[in-house]
Amino acid sequence: EALSVACDSTGKSVAVGMSDGTVMIYDVRSGGEKKPSMVLKGHKGPVTGVYYEDKTGDFYSCSEDRCLRRYNDGMAYVETLYGHQEG
């Protein structure tokens, strides 16, 4: 199930955050191809937000696992930022 969607500033790529903890990246130029061009894994909970940063080209995904994952403009994983913990 798709929970979040973002499009890069060029209109060439669309990211979809999924309830299974993955992010599907689609190449809009592929002529209606229904398979993602890339699948990003690593979250342990549903991906509730996806965001393309225009200035740096970085891509971010956030999840109910309380983590924000950052990828560079080539979609290579860079780092995980951890959020608030209960207690």
Side-chain angles (χ1 to χ4, degrees), residues 4-58:
S4 54
V5 177
C7 183
D8 74 349
S9 63
T10 66
K12 296 177 183 175
S13 180
V14 173
V16 181
M18 305 297 291
S19 60
D20 67 358
T22 61
V23 177
M24 306 293 191
I25 306 296
Y26 293 92
D27 183 352
V28 177
R29 301 167 297 172
S30 67
E33 177 66 38
K34 294 184 181 179
K35 290 184 179 182
S37 57
M38 183 179 301
V39 178
L40 304 176
K41 298 178 181 180
H43 282 293
K44 293 178 173 65
V47 178
T48 56
V50 288
Y51 175 72
Y52 287 95
E53 171 55 54
D54 293 341
K55 292 180 184 176
T56 63
D58 288 349

